[in-house]
Amino acid sequence: MDYSLMIGSVIVFVENRLGERLDYRELEAEIGFSAVHIRQVFARHTGMPLVRYVRCRQIAHAAFDLIHTKEKTLDIGAKYGFPNPDSFTRAFRRVTGMTPQEFRSRPCAVGRIKLCAGVYGVGIIEEQESGIREPAANC
């Protein structure tokens, strides 16, 4: 069975709710499958658990805000659902390799990346030695 439509729908669902806690009942209602099935299919076809994907998308949007706004780091973390500054810093370092403060002081490129067919979003972009820019590999 081709699950590309389901994966795309999940990606759009997540992208539209990054500042909120993921509500699996709402996801089930919108996608039409159980949350367990959605998580299994998502992980099998993307190679990444849904919860990790959501965290990576939150960090990508937080990185964009760090570079393009003057909001406090604490406020940006709270905006994307991190309960305290320590959890935001740990998650940010896990994804980017640096703290939010380090990222803001020497920003990486943050731009538009393809999330799935027809859906683009904010992403952290790494420049390769060849000069080619592509989405960060750890998300």
Side-chain angles (χ1 to χ4, degrees):
M1 180 175 216
D2 183 16
Y3 285 105
S4 58
L5 185 59
M6 177 200 279
I7 301 298
S9 297
V10 171
I11 288 171
V12 169
F13 180 89
V14 167
E15 203 65 20
N16 288 330
R17 291 162 180 84
L18 283 174
E20 308 167 15
R21 185 169 177 82
L22 186 61
D23 182 350
Y24 284 105
R25 287 183 306 245
E26 188 180 346
L27 178 63
E28 289 174 331
E30 186 154 321
I31 306 299
F33 291 97
S34 72
V36 172
H37 184 66
I38 292 168
R39 287 192 304 260
Q40 288 172 343
V41 169
F42 192 89
R44 189 175 335 119
H45 290 279
T46 65
M48 178 184 299
L50 181 56
V51 68
R52 181 170 165 219
Y53 175 78
V54 171
R55 187 60 74 202
C56 286
R57 298 304 305 141
Q58 290 168 325
I59 295 298
H61 280 260
F64 181 87
D65 288 354
L66 283 167
I67 291 173
H68 296 288
T69 71
K70 300 221 182 279
E71 286 181 78
K72 294 179 185 175
T73 304
L74 178 68
D75 295 338
I76 292 171
K79 177 178 175 180
Y80 293 106
F82 293 92
N84 60 59
D86 292 335
S87 65
F88 178 54
T89 299
R90 278 193 309 274
F92 199 91
R93 185 190 309 261
R94 198 174 307 121
V95 172
T96 66
M98 41 185 132
T99 67
Q101 293 80 10
E102 291 169 342
F103 190 87
R104 184 173 254 171
S105 67
R106 54 176 193 167
C108 295
V110 177
R112 195 171 82 140
I113 62 169
K114 185 175 184 178
L115 301 175
C116 67
V119 180
Y120 293 83
V122 171
I124 300 169
I125 301 171
E126 293 180 349
E127 186 148 344
Q128 306 298 315
E129 290 179 18
S130 62
I132 296 172
R133 295 172 63 170
E134 57 186 45
N138 46 346
C139 269

